[in-house]
Structure formats: structure tokens, C-alpha cells
Amino acid sequence: MKSWPVFESLRGYQRGWIRPDVIAGLTVWAVLVPEALAYASIAGVPPVVGLYAAVPALVLYAVAGSSRHLVVGPMSATAALSAAIITPLAGADGGRYLALSTALAVATGIAGLLAGLIRLGFIAAFISEPVLKGFIVGLALTIIIGQVPKLFGVPKHEGNFFEQTWGLLGNLGDTQWRTLLIGLLSLAIVLGVKRWLPLVPGSLLAVVFGIVAVRLFGLDDKGVDIVGHIDAGLPTVGLPGGVGFDDYIDLLGPAVGVLLIGFAEGLGAAKTYAAKAGYSIDANRELLGLGAANLGSGLGSGMVVNGSLSKTAVNGGAGAKTQVSGLVVAALTVLTLLFLTGLFEKLPEATLAAVVIAAVIELVDIAALRRLYRVWTHLLGSIYGHAARADFLAALAAMLGVLLFDTLPGLLIGVGVSVLLLVYRASQPHIAALAKSGGLWVDTARHPDLTPRPDLLVVRVESGLFFANADYVKERIQHLCTDCTRLVVLDAETSPGLDVSAAEMLLDLRNTLAHRRIDFRIARSVAQFGDTLGSAEAGDTPIGIYPTVAAAATDLPEHPPTPRQK
């Protein structure tokens, strides 16, 4: 069995890397602390739980993960998923809500470790980029609308995105102007610093501003909600109390959904910075790293965690070389828990909301949806228009699934659309009619100036042939035949796979064309194609197979033989 090395990113560590790793760790810590507090509020747990989660997540990912730059901790997407999963299970019981949130991290960790050990990293390939983009946009919008009431100091309305928006509009008359002012100024600080001073931790500056404003002007006594008491010290270690075996079984299914989204987001960030630094990412080790991070977080009274694109960008931009930067962040977070929690008790809820909104607003990538729409409209009516349309509609379906049906159902809709998109494309492959240009056979749809021979139809199926597309391929080839066609040649070079159903279809196509006095031949088949077809032909007249299209197109028959009656 293959061994799994630990602290892989520290191999060959050089003394000159200490300084950039420490500087990067300090920079990430300044961003992580306020964001961890904010993301805990998204998950519906006390803010300090975000700090509890960060420490073991950073250390254990460094032990098991494959990225030198990825920063793992509480994140908006998985925090929102956690809230969506736990709310109906816990009801109004705050203690059970917190225990189940921690148990969800444990279940997610176990799922990640099992997935990594049985090498399921390939699963990430089954979520298409358009579906993931639509899901993230919908999730970001849902998070934002959930935080906006805190900016205005009004109650949050329950329901989906549109119901929350309508409830917010109805409550605007009760806006607390001091809360709104502190929230808008905090938001301006974070966004302004991010734009003009990108290396400065704008989130930390906004947090300092909010705390100072509350202390100077006594805003907490004038209606501005604050975080309040934060327990100092390290968390208790162990399984959450009051959670039984049946609860873990109930959480295991939802935990797979949390794992899937966290894995996809973290893997994208890890690959981005691995490509820049010239090393590779192991998807299975990423599952192990994410699983270990979540299990450690759950056992340390934390919440679900995953890789962060924004904090990884901060880490890489600050010059990090290895996961030593993450270990520095973990050490600084421990010091924060021991000595600095009292500083954050006067933090306004509006400032926390501003930090969350600023962090996720960049995920509302409407430009990406516009690009998908432009590709669709550009290719509309072309031979590839249906594929572009499927991409755009898949992204739209995933986004609306989140906005209408909440986070977890939206995830399931997105995964379902991914699979349907894969099946749709495979079931309706492009079938090119070919004409000879010089020594090559090219697609007439791309070369309309070419005029193929009227008695010869050469076709190429740009896909493997199997049960899901067999009938479609047969119908399209028959449709391309005209009254003048005497020979059909299937160029099989672009069809590397053939199953029994498709082989039977080819035999049936040969017989159907023969009734129309059209011969059918195959050119350039690969070994597996020919082997499967040969097995299906047992007891029947074999289809002629030729080494080249030119060879198959010679000796055009005047009267093809009538198929043998079975």
C-alpha cells in the first residue's frame, strides 16, 4: 500500500524561507481572526468557535495535505451549508445546535479521510465549472442578504433569498442609523483597503475601527449590537456532548455534501498556487488533508472548515514558501484565544457583517455568467451551440437552486445538473460529415466551400459509441443519407470506445442502409472498437473494416448486397 508522507511541504526546507513564511503567517493571521469570527456567525455558532476551528485545521492540514500554500479554516460556503443542515435538526435548542455543528465537522472529517484512503479524488471532475460557478454565485448572494439586516440593525427574515429580500425591504423603516453608519464605514474600509492597499489587512483595520468607535462613543448603550462576551482560553477536546451514534448517522449524508463543496473550492485554490510555484497537487491527499482538518476541528469544539481561496491568495501574495506560514497562523491564533479575546467583545455585529459581505462579494461572479451567455449566443445555431447552451443553463439552474430552495438543495441540484450535463453531451455527440481537402478529410460544417461527392457520405462521430448515444448516432447518419448516396464510411478514429449496444446498432444500421441500396463500411477503428464489433458480429456478415478512409471509399458498389435474413 502506498505510504502517505506527513508535512510534505516542509521537505527540503531552506533557512532563507523562514522570514517570508513568518511574514506571510502574520499577514494571514490579521485576516483570519476577524473572518473566522464572522464565518462562525454565518454558521449560527458563537464567534469564538471560528477560532477554535482554525487552530487544529491549520496544523492537521499541514500534516496531511499536499499544498504548500493553501490556508484551511472556516469559510462562508461551508459555514452556510452547516447552518442549513443543523437548523432543522436542532430547532430552538442553542446547546444542541452548537453540539451538532461540531459533530458535523467530525462527520465531515471522517468522510474526507475515508474518501482519501479509497482514492476518490477523481470525484471533483464530475462537478463542471459552470455548475460550481452558478452554485457559488447563488450561495454568495444568499450569504450577503443574510448579513445585510445586521448592517441596518433590523431583524432578519427567514426563508429563501427572495423571501429574505422582501422581509428586509419591509423592515427598512426600523433602520438604526448608528448601526448603519458603523456598518457602511466598516464596509468602505475593507473594500477600499482591498482595492488600493491590497497587502494591508483591511478586515483587521475595520475590526479595530468598529471596536474603537464602540468604546469611544458608547455605541453599545445606544442600540448598536456587539459580539459580547467571548470565552478566553483553549477549547475542550473530545467528541461533543449530547450527540449520539444515530445523530452521526443522520449527519453523514449531509457531511458528504459539505465535503464535496469544501473539496472543490479548496482544490481549485491549491491548484492555482501550485501552478504558479511549479509543483503538483494530489487530489487524494487533499481529501485526507481536508478530512484531518475537519476531524481535528470537530474534536476541538470547532466547526466545518475548508480551503480558502482569498486567504490562500493573501498567503501567496505575502511570499509564503511552505505550510510553516500556516503553523505560524495557528500559533498566533492560540495566543489570540489565550490573551486577546477581550479585545473583540466590543466588536459591532455590523462590522462583522461588513467583513463577511466584503469577503464574499467577490464570489458574485456575474461576469463569468455573462461570459457563458455570450459563448452561448455566439455559438447559437452552430454545431456546438447545444453544448454552450447546456453550460449556461446548468450554471443558471445551480444558482437558482440555491436562491429558491436554500443551500443544501441547491448543492444537490448542482450535482444533479452536472451529471445530466455529462449524459446529455455524451448522448448527442457531434457527427461530422466529411469531405476531402488535399490529403485530409475535414468537417464540411467548418469548410462550407468543399463539395462532397454526392454518392459518398463519410461521417465521424466525435465521441465513444455506447448505449446512451447509439440510437441518436444511427438516426443522424440515416438523416445525412440522400437518394444519391451509395456508400457510407464511418471514420472511427475519434470513437475509441464501443459497447455491445452500440455494436448491435452498427450492425442494424448496416442492414437498414442495405435495404436502401447503400453500402456501409468502417475505417480506422482502434483495437477495442474492432474487438467489440467482432464479438457482436458472430453468426452475421461482418462489416468491412479498412485501414484508411480513402481505402474504404474506393471500389464504390453499384448494387450493395441485400442483408442476410436471420
Side-chain angles (χ1 to χ4, degrees), residues 480-545:
L480 290 171
C481 293
T482 67
D483 293 338
C484 297
T485 305
R486 309 309 308 153
L487 173 63
V488 174
V489 177
L490 171 62
D491 181 359
E493 186 181 39
T494 55
S495 300
L498 181 75
D499 71 0
V500 174
S501 298
E504 293 286 352
M505 177 275 292
L506 292 177
L507 293 173
D508 187 46
L509 175 63
R510 185 270 310 272
N511 295 338
T512 301
L513 293 176
H515 281 296
R516 296 173 59 180
R517 305 181 70 79
I518 300 173
D519 196 15
F520 179 66
R521 300 172 182 175
I522 295 174
R524 303 199 293 179
S525 67
V526 296
Q528 189 273 335
F529 188 105
D531 292 344
T532 305
L533 183 60
S535 299
E537 288 173 335
D540 201 347
T541 304
I543 298 174
I545 297 181

Side-chain angles (χ1 to χ4, degrees), residues 30-31 33-39 41-42 47 144 147-153 176-191 201-215 217 219-220 223-228 343-360:
V31 175
V33 169
E35 290 191 355
L37 297 173
Y39 294 148
S41 68
I42 293 178
I144 289 172
Q147 296 297 311
V148 169
K150 294 181 182 179
L151 286 182
F152 287 83
Q176 302 289 326
W177 71 267
R178 293 182 181 87
T179 299
L180 179 60
L181 180 62
I182 204 81
L184 291 180
L185 289 175
S186 299
L187 187 60
I189 290 172
V190 179
L191 295 178
S203 299
L204 186 62
L205 290 182
V207 166
V208 171
F209 160 75
I211 293 172
V212 170
V214 169
R215 290 187 179 275
F217 302 107
L219 297 179
D220 51 330
V224 175
D225 292 331
I226 59 173
V227 169
L343 296 177
F344 295 97
E345 293 180 356
K346 293 290 186 178
L347 176 62
E349 290 281 1
T351 297
L352 267 186
V355 171
V356 172
I357 292 171
V360 301

Side-chain angles (χ1 to χ4, degrees), residues 381-458:
S382 75
I383 56 176
Y384 299 108
H386 69 285
R389 178 177 58 191
D391 280 340
F392 173 69
L393 294 181
L396 196 62
M399 182 184 74
L400 291 177
V402 175
L403 296 180
L404 288 170
F405 304 112
D406 212 342
T407 310
L408 190 56
L411 167 64
L412 298 178
I413 290 172
V415 172
V417 169
S418 290
V419 175
L420 288 176
L421 178 59
L422 178 65
V423 174
Y424 172 76
R425 287 179 170 174
S427 67
Q428 296 192 14
H430 175 57
I431 301 176
L434 308 180
K436 196 168 186 179
S437 175
L440 300 175
W441 292 86
V442 297
D443 189 346
T444 56
R446 291 184 172 275
H447 301 271
D449 54 309
L450 296 177
T451 302
R453 286 171 50 182
D455 56 350
L456 172 64
L457 173 64
V458 181

Side-chain angles (χ1 to χ4, degrees), residues 265-286:
E265 184 178 351
L267 186 64
K271 284 185 174 180
T272 298
Y273 284 87
K276 292 181 178 180
Y279 64 94
S280 60
I281 294 297
D282 185 329
N284 294 304
R285 281 186 54 204
E286 287 305 292

